[in-house]
Amino acid sequence: MLRFDPNLRWLFTEVPMLERYEAAAAAGFQGVEVAFPYDYPAAEIAARLQGNGLQLVQILSPFDWDAGERGLAALPGREEAFRASIRTALDYAVQVGKPMIHVMPGNMTPELDRRQCMDLFLSNIAWAADLAKTAGVTLILEPCCRARFPQFLYHRIDEGVVVVKTLGRDNVKLCFDTFHIQMEEGAIAARLQAAWPHIGHIQVGNVPGRHEPGTGEIHFPYLLGLIEKLGWDRWIGCEYTPSGHTLDTLAWGKPYGLRDPRKAATATH
């Protein structure tokens, strides 16, 4: 059966961040992903994970999201900051169960040469992958759609495949995000199958509102069935904005063990 994990930056926002681990476990999730866990000591997060029977699936290498940054890996002049961010992420990852580390390239502002930035991206990711391999950690790369990140280094999943194949590291994989791919390209099932050998993580979000399965144009019963048929045995991240209270939007996940713990509590009274 497919396994899903919520991105706690997106789901369970009804409660403070540290309470979201317990909320996710109560709803039937056995894994979570957290973009930027660094506000809290790794020991604190490890305790929350262990106490709630959760696995941390994915984190991002740190950068200043609030200042508009979208990664560092392809930005000339930021090489030392990039390497420091990778070391920070790896040190943290080792303490919280070795989740995958998502590495973002950054925005291609007008003064930058995209080809030069891609060459730097390849060089930086090669360095990071070799360092990560010594820690037993996988790096995840994710092309993002123009509608969301218009200045991003790469937008199409086939561009990501070229990057992964060029690097030739077995611990560098792609994240196949249904929202980004459908918004950018469409033909999502065909693109899933074409990129399949290089995919290390899948994330779901519908189009166009980036809400839960069942709210947009992607027919998730078919797509999830295809993913299962292809033999997926890893996590699938829920990276979407719930259209209502998180617990009110999990009906799509009932076949996969997700539930509204409020209903269970009511039934016992």
Side-chain angles (χ1 to χ4, degrees), residues 78-107:
R78 303 296 303 278
E79 290 88 349
E80 287 306 311
F82 167 75
R83 292 192 174 206
S85 77
I86 293 297
R87 292 189 182 100
T88 295
L90 283 170
D91 179 67
Y92 201 98
V94 167
Q95 299 177 71
V96 292
K98 299 186 179 180
M100 297 178 288
I101 297 174
H102 179 189
V103 185
M104 297 180 72
N107 288 325

Side-chain angles (χ1 to χ4, degrees), residues 14 212 242-252 260 262-263:
E14 298 85 3
E212 68 273 7
S243 60
H245 190 290
T246 299
L247 296 178
D248 293 332
T249 65
L250 295 180
W252 66 269
D260 183 344
R262 299 172 304 184
K263 295 179 180 178

Side-chain angles (χ1 to χ4, degrees), residues 23-51:
F29 291 103
Q30 296 180 315
V32 295
E33 49 193 82
V34 183
F36 301 109
Y38 309 102
D39 288 342
Y40 305 98
E44 169 73 16
I45 298 305
R48 297 271 172 174
L49 294 166
Q50 183 176 5

Side-chain angles (χ1 to χ4, degrees), residues 15-35:
V15 298
M17 176 58 77
L18 288 179
E19 296 178 23
R20 295 176 197 176
Y21 295 87
E22 182 178 0
F29 291 103
Q30 296 180 315
V32 295
E33 49 193 82
V34 183

Side-chain angles (χ1 to χ4, degrees), residues 68-147:
E69 291 183 344
R70 295 299 178 262
L72 302 169
L75 302 183
R78 303 296 303 278
E79 290 88 349
E80 287 306 311
F82 167 75
R83 292 192 174 206
S85 77
I86 293 297
R87 292 189 182 100
T88 295
L90 283 170
D91 179 67
Y92 201 98
V94 167
Q95 299 177 71
V96 292
K98 299 186 179 180
M100 297 178 288
I101 297 174
H102 179 189
V103 185
M104 297 180 72
N107 288 325
M108 300 297 99
T109 49
E111 74 278 6
L112 296 178
D113 179 271
R114 186 172 293 270
R115 180 171 296 181
Q116 178 187 1
C117 290
M118 179 57 80
D119 289 343
L120 178 60
F121 184 58
L122 291 168
S123 175
N124 275 338
I125 297 300
W127 173 86
D130 292 343
L131 188 63
K133 187 162 187 174
T134 65
V137 172
T138 294
L139 304 183
I140 292 293
L141 309 179
E142 181 183 351
C144 295
C145 67
R146 288 176 177 85

Side-chain angles (χ1 to χ4, degrees), residues 1-7 24-25 28-33 49 52-59 96-100 140 173-178 192 196 199-204 224 227-228 231-239 252 256-258:
M1 185 170 70
L2 298 179
R3 298 179 299 164
F4 293 85
D5 69 271
N7 187 319
F29 291 103
Q30 296 180 315
V32 295
E33 49 193 82
L49 294 166
N52 290 288
L54 296 170
Q55 178 179 336
L56 185 56
V57 175
Q58 181 185 206
I59 61 175
V96 292
K98 299 186 179 180
M100 297 178 288
I140 292 293
K173 300 291 184 180
L174 291 175
C175 176
F176 188 95
D177 185 304
T178 64
L192 174 74
W196 188 258
I199 297 172
H201 190 43
I202 296 173
Q203 291 177 329
V204 294
L224 294 176
I227 290 169
E228 196 161 22
W232 188 253
D233 60 357
R234 305 179 191 183
W235 295 95
I236 299 176
C238 301
E239 187 167 290
W252 66 269
Y256 307 103
L258 304 186

